[in-house]
Amino acid sequence: MPPKAGANRNAGSVARRQRWLLVVVGVFAFYCMFLFQMRLWSAASHADLRANVISAEKDPAVIDRPAIKQDEEPQRETREEVEVAQQPFDVQVVEPTQAAKDVVAVVNEQQNLRVVDPPLSTPDAVIVSTPEPLITEGGAPPIAAFGASAAPIATSSFADRHDTVSGYNAAMEYLANYKVPEGSDEQLFLFFVCGDEKGEQTSWRQVCVDASKLVYDVFAKSPARNRLVTIHAGSKEDWSAANVFFKDGDLKVKMIPALMQWHGGRPGAKRATSGMIIEGSLLYEPLLRYLFKNEDIPDPLLAPDKIASKEIVLLKGYKNYRHYIDGIAAGENLSLSASEGPMFVFLVAGRLENNDRLWCPYCRYSEISVEYAFKAFAPPGSRLVKVETVNSYGAWKNPANAWKADTALMVRGVPWMYRANLDKEARAFSFQRVSERFDHPDALRGVFQGWKNPV
């Protein structure tokens, strides 16, 4: 018996509804996937600088950045590559000339003269504290207000103390030939800015322009022993991918503008750097003055009577840290006493043996900023315990890493900061983690003054 016409129509209607239902479900699923992907893209394009850590739980990603669009600035790296202490001239974009080969010979000669710092012979802390202020017969020395005129400081002209080189090869030649004048206490600072090998394209980042004005102004008023070399570190195209400055094992300039002190130039000296300041932090004038050790106008936050009771303690390795913390908690060693004010623990990377560079880039950017912020903002009697953890990224990733096994700290990366609280009855410390940008002093003001609560 043939099916009824009405039944055929009903069957066709059901089939059409099912097809439309599948289409609607498919479109909705595609829409949800699109929203999820947009969220991922949005999260990936914003680097969270509050944590500023290299985690031991994840392998560093190999960075393969696309070319930068004409109206955009380079994105910051949010994941650090495996740090390898490579020598200069490992990366060359042109066939080296005879002059470049001569530079290599000089560099190799300097590297052969390197000295290796001896390890700590005892587990005692290495204490770096602020000396007591000098008191004259008339009492405490007067402190001039910040911005007020002070006693004139003998300085030579800016032009006499400033050099400019363009490009990587020129920078390497300058550093290879640089020698500290005999009997001099000259201090050399490297200022990496925008600019190609011809000294052109110097304004493709506005922060390069703004930072240059302030750095030059502050440096011109700094002590006569200081010397500054401006290094044109690349065009916008050069910084669209990891370049030779980025890859150099001693400099490791991850972004520009950047400023650091150079410690080479003496017999046996390592090609070491310190005091690195980058990008927007270069616009914070007190930090520049602290790096250059300006004396023309005293910083009221660093007045001797205000920082005399603040203490910075440097420890190297987990055993030294454990000995120090346990000694204070036990209260049995008179040389290891608790601080009168709040105590902070700041964990950073260790140093590479060949150039004393912290292997974690964020630690380099944070080092001088945290030091200044502590001295400027922490209350009297405070103590900052700075600990250099392990001397390589490989050692940090090792599952047997003692830092990862410390359940009181629960540390997952560096740099990492805590407020340490001593329970005198239990004779034990508890630790409250502080999560903040460490590369800018103002971000740490509330941490050290106590009105920003730990996480």
Side-chain angles (χ1 to χ4, degrees), residues 99-155:
K101 293 178 181 178
D102 294 339
V103 172
V104 174
V106 176
V107 171
N108 290 336
E109 180 182 357
Q110 288 189 356
Q111 291 167 350
N112 292 333
L113 294 175
R114 288 174 177 163
V115 295
V116 178
D117 294 337
L120 292 178
S121 57
T122 66
D124 294 338
V126 179
I127 300 180
V128 183
S129 58
T130 306
E132 293 291 337
L134 296 176
I135 305 299
T136 62
E137 294 181 359
I143 303 300
F146 195 56
S149 60
I153 303 298
T155 59

Side-chain angles (χ1 to χ4, degrees), residues 176-421:
N177 293 325
Y178 173 74
K179 299 291 188 297
V180 177
E182 187 175 353
S184 168
D185 62 346
E186 182 172 276
Q187 308 292 311
L188 179 64
F189 297 88
L190 312 182
F191 185 33
F192 300 87
V193 297
C194 304
D196 59 19
E197 293 183 350
K198 298 179 181 180
E200 301 173 352
Q201 302 187 49
T202 58
S203 58
W204 61 269
R205 293 199 72 193
Q206 185 60 40
V207 68
C208 281
V209 178
D210 297 339
S212 295
K213 293 178 181 177
L214 185 57
V215 168
Y216 293 155
D217 179 66
V218 174
F219 178 81
K221 303 169 186 174
S222 71
R225 65 176 177 270
N226 291 344
R227 173 167 290 276
L228 179 70
V229 54
T230 295
I231 300 173
H232 292 136
S235 63
K236 192 169 188 176
E237 182 180 359
D238 294 331
W239 283 91
S240 64
N243 56 43
V244 285
F245 286 102
F246 187 103
K247 296 177 180 178
D248 186 276
D250 295 320
L251 300 177
K252 279 290 180 181
V253 181
K254 297 286 186 177
M255 56 197 73
I256 54 175
L259 177 67
M260 64 184 76
Q261 186 171 356
W262 175 259
H263 297 285
R266 290 180 172 84
K270 299 181 181 182
R271 295 170 61 84
T273 58
S274 67
M276 190 172 189
I277 308 174
I278 61 168
E279 293 196 315
S281 296
L282 287 166
L283 304 179
Y284 191 78
E285 182 175 348
L287 189 59
L288 294 179
R289 300 177 64 84
Y290 184 73
L291 175 65
F292 291 142
K293 295 181 173 59
N294 281 39
E295 300 171 348
D296 57 319
I297 302 176
D299 187 335
L301 297 177
L302 302 183
D305 60 330
K306 291 186 177 181
I307 65 174
S309 63
K310 301 177 186 180
E311 185 180 34
I312 296 179
V313 177
L314 174 63
L315 305 175
K316 296 185 179 183
Y318 187 78
K319 289 183 179 179
N320 287 337
Y321 161 79
R322 193 76 268 163
H323 173 83
Y324 183 79
I325 291 295
D326 292 344
I328 294 177
E332 298 173 354
N333 188 340
L334 297 179
S335 65
L336 297 177
S337 58
S339 59
E340 296 179 2
M343 176 171 155
F344 302 89
V345 176
F346 185 45
L347 305 181
V348 297
R351 299 184 183 276
L352 300 176
E353 182 178 315
N354 66 320
N355 58 17
D356 286 340
R357 175 174 61 80
L358 298 177
W359 53 260
C360 159
Y362 306 120
C363 299
R364 291 180 77 198
Y365 312 153
S366 305
E367 197 171 23
I368 191 171
S369 172
V370 169
E371 181 179 316
Y372 173 83
F374 171 76
K375 290 183 178 180
F377 305 132
S382 299
R383 183 180 299 170
L384 176 66
V385 180
K386 178 182 172 184
V387 188
E388 295 177 1
T389 53
V390 294
N391 290 338
S392 71
Y393 181 71
W396 180 261
K397 282 193 63 180
N398 188 339
N401 178 2
W403 294 101
K404 295 169 63 177
D406 193 314
T407 56
L409 294 176
M410 299 294 289
V411 60
R412 297 193 301 276
V414 288
W416 211 263
M417 183 181 286
Y418 302 91
R419 181 165 179 149
N421 304 302

Side-chain angles (χ1 to χ4, degrees), residues 8-22:
N8 288 335
R9 285 195 299 271
N10 290 337
S13 177
V14 170
R16 284 194 297 273
R17 285 197 296 270
Q18 290 176 343
R19 286 196 297 270
W20 276 108
L21 181 61
L22 289 175

